């Protein structure tokens, strides 16, 4: 199966695992562009793929590779859906005031996990 035929979530994982560390985090828009997605709903498709990866990572006990993707708006954090799902999956605290801190730790773990994966 060619990369273009692979499920979007698998393509997203491969791209995030291979992205140079100095280019992280990626924005949803840059990720969509790197995947050569075309409108409509490019960001929505990226978000759904990232949610699938979060479920896979939670089930496997891995850091969320989706933590490597952020919104270009706001404070450079992922979108609300990331935090909602992280709470639902039991990985993040319920208290939204603690989400940014939890994301920073998850980002660090995800970068380190990529290094383990590439070794």
């Amino acid at each position: 199966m060619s990369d273009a035929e692979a499920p979007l979530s698998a393509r997203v994982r491969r791209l995030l695992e291979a992205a140079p560390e100095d280019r992280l985090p990626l924005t949803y828009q840059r990720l969509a562009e790197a995947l050569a997605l075309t409108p409509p709903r490019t960001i929505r498709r990226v978000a759904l793929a990232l949610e699938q990866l979060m479920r896979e990572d939670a089930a496997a006990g891995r850091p969320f590779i989706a933590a490597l993707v952020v919104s270009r708006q706001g404070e450079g954090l992922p979108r609300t859906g990331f935090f909602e799902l992280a709470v639902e999956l039991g990985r993040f605290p319920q208290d939204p005031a603690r989400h940014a801190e939890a994301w920073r730790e998850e980002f660090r773990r995800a970068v380190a996990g990529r290094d383990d994966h590439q070794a």
Side-chain angles (χ1 to χ4, degrees), residues 24-51:
L24 297 173
L26 288 177
T27 64
Y28 294 94
Q29 185 62 45
R30 284 194 187 246
L31 181 55
E33 290 167 1
L35 293 163
L37 298 181
T38 55
R41 297 185 301 280
T42 55
I43 303 304
R44 178 74 181 139
R45 289 166 31 214
V46 165
L48 289 172
L50 290 168
E51 288 175 5

Side-chain angles (χ1 to χ4, degrees), residues 80-101:
T80 305
F82 171 86
F83 294 104
E84 291 169 351
L85 185 54
V87 169
E88 180 183 317
L89 293 170
R91 183 77 59 91
F92 278 26
Q94 293 277 344
D95 181 2
R98 297 180 50 210
H99 286 178
E101 177 186 341

Side-chain angles (χ1 to χ4, degrees), residues 11-27 30-31 34 65 68-69 107 110-111 114-115 117-118:
R11 293 172 50 211
V12 168
R13 184 180 297 281
R14 282 195 295 275
L15 194 147
L16 291 173
E17 286 174 345
E21 189 171 334
D22 64 353
R23 308 278 273 164
L24 297 173
L26 288 177
T27 64
R30 284 194 187 246
L31 181 55
I65 198 159
L68 303 178
V69 185
F107 178 85
V111 169
R114 288 169 4 113
D115 294 340
H117 178 81
Q118 292 171 359

